[in-house]
Amino acid sequence: MAACGSPRIVARPPSALPRAASTVTATHHLGASASALSVSADGERVAVAGRDLLRTLSVKAGPALADDLDLLQHTKKSPNHSSNDAQWYPHRPSQLVTGATTGAVLLWDAAKAGSKLARTLSVHTRAVNRVHFQPGESTRLLTGAKDCSVKLLDVGVRSVQQLAFATS
């Protein structure tokens, strides 16, 4: 008999152990480490981002994952391409944003010919950890970074309007 408060160890045969609720149904090898992913609003594409990695995968019926587009393929290599986070633009299905380890926020357009990089916004002094569109405000992007600030950007305006909120 176990004393009050001491752990009690019970051995169970493998058949009595609980089974996993879900199983892997599709795997896709990226060739690089992923630090973020975002599913498009229609659920048909997944953006995968990381250090020297930014590509989209299509989610096929079956289910299966297939290479769709390498957004860095025709873009000049830059430290800004190392991403901590990514999110699809809610009302523009071909566009997404990434938060870079350099403090930049990058806007990408998968439908654009050649280089897919549409804009680079230098808004933080340290790595951007999170990018998130404000619900109900399709052009307003919240960013959080290691410079201890949260910024609200209106990416629909060419000269970016921004509000900064210091965090402690």
Side-chain angles (χ1 to χ4, degrees):
M1 180 174 200
C4 183
S6 62
R8 187 171 165 206
I9 299 171
V10 178
R12 292 188 183 146
S15 61
L17 295 175
R19 296 192 180 250
S22 64
T23 59
V24 175
T25 57
T27 301
H28 185 80
H29 183 69
L30 297 169
S33 177
S35 59
L37 64 86
S38 177
V39 179
S40 63
D42 62 9
E44 293 181 4
R45 291 167 48 175
V46 177
V48 185
R51 183 175 180 192
D52 298 323
L53 170 70
L54 182 58
R55 71 173 49 148
T56 61
L57 305 175
S58 61
V59 181
K60 303 283 184 187
L65 298 170
D67 264 324
D68 184 34
L69 183 63
D70 181 351
L71 281 85
L72 299 178
Q73 184 177 14
H74 298 292
T75 306
K76 186 178 177 184
K77 192 169 180 150
S78 165
N80 285 342
H81 299 161
S82 183
S83 302
N84 284 335
D85 199 16
Q87 188 177 24
W88 287 98
Y89 205 127
H91 299 291
R92 296 186 184 166
S94 69
Q95 296 182 0
L96 63 129
V97 297
T98 57
T101 58
T102 60
V105 173
L106 287 78
L107 286 79
W108 301 87
D109 190 343
K112 186 178 168 205
S115 173
K116 306 300 182 192
L117 181 59
R119 285 171 62 194
T120 301
L121 310 172
S122 299
V123 293
H124 289 282
T125 58
R126 296 191 59 203
V128 176
N129 291 328
R130 288 288 286 140
V131 292
H132 188 78
F133 281 97
Q134 184 179 355
E137 298 287 337
S138 65
T139 63
R140 296 183 92 177
L141 179 71
L142 288 159
T143 62
K146 287 192 175 187
D147 61 6
C148 301
S149 70
V150 173
K151 295 191 178 183
L152 177 61
L153 313 171
D154 189 341
V155 295
V157 178
R158 193 66 182 157
S159 61
V160 174
Q161 306 282 322
Q162 56 181 324
L163 299 173
F165 306 94
T167 59
S168 50

